[in-house]
Amino acid sequence: MQELTHWINGKHVKGTSGRFADVYNPATGEVQARVPLASKAELDAAVADAARAQAAWAATNPQKRGRVMMAMVGLINRDMDKLAEALSREHGKTIPDAKGDVQRGLEVIEYCINAAQMLKGEFTDSAGPGIDMYSMRQPLGVAAGITPFNFPAMIPLWKMGPALSCGNAFILKPSERDPSVPLILAELFQEAGLPDGVLQVINGDKESVDAILDNEVIQAVGFVGSTPIAEYIYGRGCSNGKRVQCFGGAKNHMIIMPDADLDQAADALIGAGYGAAGERCMAISVAVPVGDATADALIEKLIPRIEKLKVGPYTAGNDIDYGPVVTAAAKANILKLVESGVAQGAKLVVDGRDFKLQGYEQGYFVGPHLFDHVTTDMDIYRKEIFGPVLSTVRAKTYEEAIGYAMDHEYGNGTAIFTRDGDTARDFAARINVGMVGINVPIPVPLAYHTFGGWKKSGFGDLNQHGPDAFRFYTRTKTVTSRWPSGIKEGAAFNFKAMD
Ligand code: NAD
């Protein structure tokens, strides 16, 4: 069986803690590798080495750091097939979807080529007599990222690109469920010219996460994952004096107005609800049709589309719509929530509970489910299911529909389908959710905008990528300067206007 490694100081390094986690092939249920789980001592040593490497990297001018990003773009494109294969083998998503995962990370690396532009400071000439004032953005030192299983290329790249191009060293603790792609990305960064030690990939679980949170050298922590862990990391990281941003779970609502194009809305719900087996933080998991006529017509359009979905392993070809979920535990949790929906009175219109795939009986495949008449007190409505399960909550009016999305504890993404500009504009203005789609079901912002949810979906002030990333991974220093020829008075004891 393959034994995976850490990536430390530019080399693959075996784990020394003696602890490992199994890495499964979710399509077959077989253990295909084991990944080392770092101890606090291993983590701390890698951070100390990163801190030493960081000084020279921070002194490298930003355009040279940008060139490393430029080379990285070429290398990721060169190795796209290899990355997608490694990703699908551990995660289970289809190859086209895995390429999309890599691509959306790659776009942030492209954005970081121009880091010099983002890092330019501000300057005021003659702010007072003979006085100039300027501010500069300096790297923090060592930053760390803790990432989830569901985008094993995109989310590590969202963090590596901005953190490194700002001149920081970066410690990545990827998900232990699909750790191979981050290791390949680290090799590619080395090939792109990143000095050894500046990027360390440390595999692990809670022990290494706690070691990151308690390490005094690490200045900032970026987390993406489930909300309970996000809250824990935010609390412990902040109380240890670190800059912390945590992005958590989701329950994304899509409102379908009576004037919407229902075929477009149904197609959008199929892709956004069942794509990647529903394991996306921007998946639509709640459909809110307005009016019973809209709801009935929508359900009628959804059923045949769901029945046509092709579920299978990524090796079965590119016409598979979605693959298995990530672990046996994830599958069990999804099916348990489906049972709770039935027990609590929701109508299971499409029942995927008996889904079996011949030849892959041990794989973690979950058939598609569609619920109608879901109410807000049900577990399937309140909890994130993270599986191919779409719940329909019927609303009588637009106000009732927007109220559901506003009152839910999560606020990652949301969408409205309508032809009416007034309604769309009102929705975008009032909704308390971080990312909003108007006739767009998965409104993931592009690299030069920022990504982040509200309420229990996001903790901290700044979002991921876009201009916020350059703020998160730098701190501002402001200098006031005057030369001896500009000094006209002796000791001054009072604060006063600079004129
Ligand atoms: P997870 O919270 O289980 O794990 C995320 C990371 O935290 C992993 O690296 C894991 O090793 C670590 N971790 C797990 N348990 C821990 C503990 N007790 N203490 C310290 N660290 C721990 O999440 P996941 O299952 O990998 O990913 C799915 C979740 O991520 C979903 O809730 C999804 O909505 C969310 N997600 C959110 C976004 C976003 O941008 N808001 C993006 C992707 C995924």
Side-chain angles (χ1 to χ4, degrees), residues 37-57:
L37 302 175
S39 64
K40 178 169 164 44
E42 286 171 292
L43 185 282
D44 286 343
V47 172
D49 289 343
R52 276 189 283 280
Q54 189 262 339
W57 178 240

Side-chain angles (χ1 to χ4, degrees), residues 125-359:
D125 166 52
S126 299
I131 293 178
D132 298 328
M133 198 173 283
Y134 59 96
S135 54
M136 46 191 163
R137 292 196 167 277
Q138 296 193 319
L140 302 172
V142 182
I146 300 156
T147 52
F149 81 86
N150 68 326
F151 283 98
M154 179 182 87
I155 295 177
L157 287 168
W158 283 6
K159 301 199 173 299
M160 292 168 172
L164 294 170
S165 56
C166 289
N168 299 290
F170 189 68
I171 312 291
L172 178 75
K173 205 302 285 170
S175 171
E176 62 275 41
R177 295 181 203 152
D178 44 14
S180 287
V181 168
L183 291 167
I184 302 174
L185 292 174
E187 291 172 0
L188 294 184
F189 262 118
Q190 184 182 53
E191 193 178 342
L194 188 72
D196 292 346
V198 172
L199 171 65
Q200 317 274 49
V201 179
I202 305 298
N203 283 304
D205 57 359
K206 180 171 167 48
E207 183 173 338
S208 43
V209 171
D210 286 346
I212 287 173
L213 297 174
D214 295 342
N215 184 292
E216 288 183 359
V217 174
I218 292 175
Q219 299 295 307
V221 177
F223 168 86
V224 181
S226 59
T227 289
I229 311 297
E231 284 183 301
Y232 166 71
I233 288 177
Y234 191 69
R236 188 157 169 172
C238 289
S239 68
N240 283 340
K242 299 186 193 312
R243 185 177 290 189
V244 189
Q245 55 172 198
C246 292
F247 301 94
K251 197 79 184 175
N252 303 320
H253 292 53
M254 178 169 135
I255 295 176
I256 301 99
M257 295 298 293
D259 67 350
D261 180 319
L262 283 190
D263 284 304
Q264 281 181 10
D267 286 340
L269 281 168
I270 295 295
Y274 301 99
E279 289 178 321
R280 291 181 182 137
C281 68
M282 290 293 278
I284 295 290
S285 46
V286 182
V288 190
V290 174
D292 277 332
T294 312
D296 292 341
L298 183 70
I299 297 278
E300 204 173 294
K301 287 184 185 294
L302 284 172
I303 292 171
R305 285 169 165 84
I306 296 171
E307 285 168 348
K308 276 199 219 115
L309 285 173
K310 290 203 184 81
V311 183
Y314 75 93
T315 44
N318 289 351
D319 65 338
I320 293 295
D321 294 309
Y322 73 83
V325 298
V326 69
T327 56
K331 177 174 175 174
N333 184 49
I334 293 163
L335 293 177
K336 193 171 136 211
L337 278 162
V338 169
E339 291 301 342
S340 82
V342 174
Q344 290 171 8
K347 186 175 171 199
L348 189 53
V349 184
V350 178
D351 184 352
R353 285 176 293 181
D354 290 334
F355 182 86
K356 292 262 178 318
L357 196 63
Q358 213 184 352

Side-chain angles (χ1 to χ4, degrees), residues 427-450:
F427 183 72
R430 280 167 58 199
I431 193 74
N432 53 0
V433 170
M435 292 168 283
V436 181
I438 296 170
N439 299 315
V440 173
I442 306 191
V444 176
L446 287 173
Y448 43 90
H449 288 269
T450 71

